[in-house]
Amino acid sequence: MTKLSADNLKRLDHLKGLLNLSAKELKLLKTATQIKKATINLKGKKYQAFRVVYNRALGPGKGGIRFHPEVNEEEVTSLSFWMTIKNSLAGIPYGGGKGGIRINPKNLSEKEKETLSREYIRKFYKFLGQDKDIPAPDVYTNSQVMSWMLDEFEKKTQRHEPGMITGKPVELGGLLMRQDATAKGAYIVIKEVIKKNFKSKKPSFIIQGFGNAGSYLAQMLNKDDYKILAVSDSKGGIYNAKGLKVDDLVNLKNEGKSVVDYKDGKKISGEEILELDTDILALAALGDQVTKKNADKLKAKYILELANGPVSEEADKILFAKNTMIVPDILANAGGVIVSYFEWAQNRAGNVLDNNYLQELLESKMKTNWQRVYKQYLDENKKIDLRTAAYMIAVKKILSAEKLRGNL
Ligand code: NAD
């Protein structure tokens, strides 16, 4: 039985007609290649852990590990499916993977996080490796978590293999540019959208989520004088029609506070922020934030998805009907995994790649991906949304690789 979410199954069914998929092709697309589960003991309590490789047609598994109280098998499987689609669309040599532990990391000390990270690797190391499945950071995991995981993996396997995980600190073979790569990729794409659609005015932004992805995006927008009207984090939101001072917000977060502690604005709820008037709404928190319950209330004409799966399938339809353009996650947030690919390639080659060259490569890859998706959308006479256009391109490539391998 497939563990993919109902939304993703519906999205695949929608592609059936568009791409003329056979029953065998559809079944392959709906099935995860490998689902591994384990129980991790910490402080006398048991926590569920997962690692899923969704597909290997284009290369080894690749995708982050999250520590979050809502992690479950269906979510991890869906996230690994999106990684498969994202990697295919991005033109990088990976299948898709994802992992997670169902735990609230906010209640853990650093030492406990280390124990948890090492225990995760002890459970799954046989299934990981630079040619098998390569994890990276995701929600509430960071370069320190990657360091512990690399160390534990190398202890278990008795050899150095920095390419088994990405998002590492520079000292352990990481790339400095990984830190803001997701935001940078999204910024490159949204600038292309702005060029096409905002000829005479600079659009305003609202950002949901002020962690790695959201806060770097805010800083990039701020540097280029875009007005950010509101931002939120897990505690709530803050709004000022004249624009927020991004540096002050970043300082608050660095002090361990919330954006709601910002003084020069009105406090708003996490739900309200999505419904405020703005040109572009950037979603950089978690999945399923825009659903059939609130989609109709959204005023932004453009949505930029930095989070994975922030808009549900039903909400997609509502927003498409009211002409809201969604720049989908699998296109907009691919900067992170593209730079992870640079890191992996550098680790494997054992030589250093020039930072300016890599920045240019990221820019050109993001622009090319945007152009390919937009062309597909035009080729379909704008009768499909950008997400469907992106899926069409990605799925065609995966199926073609499966055929060449003799699996179809
Ligand atoms: P993060 O842990 O650094 O930040 C998450 C942020 O979301 C925090 O500010 C948190 O307070 C906020 N948040 C949580 N619940 C919220 C809510 N209900 N309303 C508003 N804010 C809320 O994580 P991140 O790395 O920035 O990732 C954010 C999203 O982007 C995730 O969906 C992740 O999968 C996706 N993503 C991240 C990367 C990356 O490289 N960081 C790459 C691809 C996709």
Side-chain angles (χ1 to χ4, degrees):
M1 215 181 68
T2 184
K3 295 285 188 276
L4 206 53
S5 70
D7 267 19
N8 281 321
L9 293 172
K10 276 193 232 158
R11 283 184 177 130
L12 283 172
D13 284 332
H14 180 47
L15 287 185
K16 189 178 167 200
L18 289 166
L19 291 175
N20 205 9
L21 300 177
S22 70
K24 201 173 174 193
E25 287 171 327
L26 202 57
K27 186 166 176 238
L28 185 146
L29 290 169
K30 286 183 176 179
T31 313
T33 295
Q34 178 184 291
I35 299 179
K36 297 287 173 195
K37 296 179 237 181
T39 304
I40 292 181
N41 292 311
L42 187 75
K43 292 192 289 179
K45 279 198 181 156
K46 291 186 188 337
Y47 299 96
Q48 285 176 294
F50 305 89
R51 186 69 201 173
V52 176
V53 177
Y54 198 83
N55 185 281
R56 296 187 195 273
L58 299 172
K62 179 88 194 86
I65 296 173
R66 62 173 58 178
F67 293 168
H68 195 272
E70 274 155 34
V71 162
N72 60 61
E73 186 174 340
E74 182 183 289
E75 184 192 68
V76 179
T77 306
S78 291
L79 287 161
S80 71
F81 165 74
W82 287 326
M83 286 308 297
T84 307
I85 300 288
K86 193 190 301 184
N87 292 333
S88 170
L89 181 70
I92 51 182
Y94 297 129
K98 203 81 178 191
I101 307 180
R102 188 178 176 86
I103 193 167
N104 186 355
K106 288 188 180 171
N107 303 331
L108 301 179
S109 67
E110 279 301 285
K111 191 68 208 159
E112 286 162 349
K113 273 190 218 162
E114 178 178 351
T115 308
L116 193 69
S117 306
R118 290 187 185 277
E119 196 53 30
Y120 185 90
I121 294 298
R122 280 185 218 122
K123 298 286 185 194
F124 295 115
Y125 76 95
K126 284 190 189 140
F127 310 107
L128 302 173
Q130 63 182 11
D131 293 312
K132 283 189 195 171
D133 181 14
I134 306 129
D138 194 68
V139 177
Y140 298 137
T141 56
N142 55 19
S143 60
Q144 175 61 75
V145 172
M146 299 304 109
S147 307
W148 292 321
M149 289 186 167
L150 172 69
D151 187 67
E152 194 59 35
F153 180 85
E154 294 186 338
K155 281 189 175 126
K156 293 300 283 182
T157 56
Q158 297 282 301
R159 62 166 191 273
H160 278 288
E161 192 181 321
M164 67 75 50
I165 201 161
T166 60
K168 302 178 293 291
V170 175
E171 294 85 338
L172 295 177
L175 294 180
L176 209 50
M177 67 184 284
R178 177 65 181 86
Q179 194 67 18
D180 64 359
T182 300
K184 186 165 277 169
Y187 189 42
I188 292 165
V189 174
I190 201 66
K191 275 201 294 194
E192 295 297 300
V193 176
I194 292 170
K195 239 192 271 169
K196 231 182 239 312
N197 297 287
F198 293 86
K199 305 274 184 231
S200 55
K201 74 171 247 208
K202 252 182 136 85
S204 60
F205 279 80
I206 284 178
I207 306 176
Q208 184 203 35
F210 208 73
N212 174 291
S215 69
Y216 278 117
L217 177 71
Q219 290 171 75
M220 288 167 200
L221 291 168
N222 183 46
K223 202 160 158 247
D224 287 346
D225 292 326
Y226 287 97
K227 206 185 267 182
I228 299 170
L229 307 179
V231 299
S232 66
D233 60 23
S234 58
K235 303 251 162 60
I238 194 88
Y239 170 74
N240 186 333
K242 294 199 184 105
L244 301 171
K245 293 189 190 89
V246 173
D247 292 343
D248 292 355
L249 290 165
V250 171
N251 288 339
L252 280 173
K253 291 299 272 188
N254 288 341
E255 288 164 21
K257 293 183 183 156
S258 159
V259 297
V260 297
D261 296 314
Y262 179 85
K263 295 282 174 266
D264 196 12
K266 184 176 164 238
K267 281 197 183 64
I268 47 171
S269 75
E271 290 79 45
E272 273 175 284
I273 191 172
L274 301 175
E275 297 164 18
L276 292 172
D277 202 1
T278 183
D279 295 308
I280 302 175
L281 172 65
L283 300 172
L286 292 168
D288 279 327
Q289 298 301 302
V290 180
T291 63
K292 68 173 180 191
K293 285 193 196 131
N294 60 356
D296 216 22
K297 297 186 200 144
L298 263 53
K299 296 192 186 65
K301 277 293 174 206
Y302 295 84
I303 294 180
L304 179 66
E305 294 185 338
L306 288 95
N308 289 308
V311 179
S312 76
E313 195 263 346
E314 285 169 319
D316 263 353
K317 286 189 192 143
I318 297 168
L319 291 164
F320 186 66
K322 60 176 207 169
N323 257 332
T324 306
M325 179 178 270
I326 303 176
V327 187
D329 46 9
I330 50 168
L331 168 68
N333 73 21
V337 73
I338 291 173
V339 171
S340 273
Y341 160 60
F342 299 161
E343 179 180 337
W344 175 79
Q346 175 168 298
N347 292 157
R348 303 194 59 144
N351 67 3
V352 181
L353 301 169
D354 177 66
N355 184 53
N356 290 337
Y357 162 72
L358 292 180
Q359 294 284 2
E360 279 168 26
L361 198 56
L362 173 65
E363 177 135 6
S364 79
K365 272 189 170 294
M366 291 304 302
K367 282 187 180 163
T368 307
N369 292 339
W370 156 253
Q371 282 153 7
R372 286 164 65 226
V373 171
Y374 198 72
K375 182 176 179 306
Q376 183 77 44
Y377 166 72
L378 294 182
D379 288 350
E380 297 290 328
N381 297 317
K382 302 188 180 179
K383 291 205 172 82
I384 56 167
D385 56 16
L386 292 177
R387 188 183 323 276
T388 310
Y391 270 60
M392 286 174 78
I393 297 168
V395 161
K396 267 192 267 182
K397 188 169 172 195
I398 294 163
L399 291 178
S400 154
E402 293 283 19
K403 271 187 198 127
L404 288 165
R405 287 172 179 276
N407 295 335
L408 275 172

